[in-house]
Amino acid sequence: MKSILLVIDYQHDFVDGALGFPQAVLLEEPIAQKIMAYRQKGQEILFTYDTHTADYLNTQEGRNLPVVHCIKGTPGWELYGKVAKLRWDTDTCIEKIAFGSLELAEFLAANHYDQVELVGVVSNICLISDAVLAKAALPEAEIIVDASCVASNDDCLNAAALDVMASMQIRIINRRANG
């Protein structure tokens, strides 16, 4: 079975920076463990980077979310903590200028994965967008979201995002009763 782990936007600005939140910090160890498990099996790992430029506030996203974040080349744009240390130079990395990435969807479709697992942040924005694109790119693949490795700054929106993804035949694993 050809599998890949997608680590979505686990960057400083979403963990301890401009848009950071406590739940994101708690994901560091579970995501690191997941990466190491994939490495032990010789499976692929892909990292996405939310990526903006200095004119962010002039974009549609910037006008609706006027918090400058993930400006390419700044410390906030870099991967966070252990996850950063676990990224290899040979791993595929995709810079996303929007919530979801067409480049990611095209990459997944071209590589014919049987299974795609997603972890990272923010569950109700970028992660759900990329999960839906993965499902569209690979309609017969198993798309998985590990609920113990995703979070939002709003617990209700996190739960809602997990519900919506489950309704789209995306398998949600490790979900606690309250999340």
Side-chain angles (χ1 to χ4, degrees), residues 6 8 116-136 141-152 156-173 175 179:
L6 307 182
I8 306 297
V116 178
E117 184 170 358
L118 293 90
V119 299
V121 293
V122 169
S123 57
N124 61 294
I125 302 174
C126 290
L127 191 125
I128 192 174
S129 298
D130 288 319
V132 169
L133 286 168
K135 188 68 175 169
E142 181 179 36
I143 311 300
I144 301 167
V145 171
D146 187 336
S148 70
C149 294
V150 303
S152 169
C156 291
L157 288 176
N158 182 62
L162 294 172
D163 288 343
V164 169
M165 288 185 280
S167 76
M168 299 176 75
Q169 300 177 4
I170 294 168
R171 194 172 87 161
I172 309 300
I173 62 172
R175 188 168 186 181

Side-chain angles (χ1 to χ4, degrees), residues 7-28 31 47-52 67-87 120-122 153:
V7 180
I8 306 297
D9 301 353
Y10 200 66
Q11 297 160 267
H12 275 281
D13 272 347
F14 289 119
V15 180
D16 64 352
L19 293 171
F21 56 100
Q23 297 92 326
V25 176
L26 300 176
L27 296 180
E28 180 180 16
I31 292 174
F47 295 84
T48 68
Y49 288 76
D50 190 47
T51 303
H52 301 293
V67 179
V68 176
H69 65 282
C70 295
I71 304 300
K72 186 174 180 175
T74 66
W77 180 78
E78 299 294 334
L79 294 175
Y80 179 81
K82 290 181 183 179
V83 172
K85 293 178 177 115
L86 291 169
R87 188 185 71 75
V121 293
V122 169
N153 61 349

Side-chain angles (χ1 to χ4, degrees), residues 32-72:
Q33 292 296 322
K34 183 77 68 171
I35 291 168
M36 290 185 285
Y38 269 73
R39 294 257 188 253
Q40 287 178 339
K41 295 177 186 174
Q43 295 168 322
E44 291 179 64
I45 301 168
L46 181 149
F47 295 84
T48 68
Y49 288 76
D50 190 47
T51 303
H52 301 293
T53 58
D55 71 338
Y56 170 76
L57 293 175
N58 295 320
T59 67
Q60 180 175 326
E61 181 183 328
R63 288 188 298 276
N64 288 300
L65 177 63
V67 179
V68 176
H69 65 282
C70 295
I71 304 300
K72 186 174 180 175

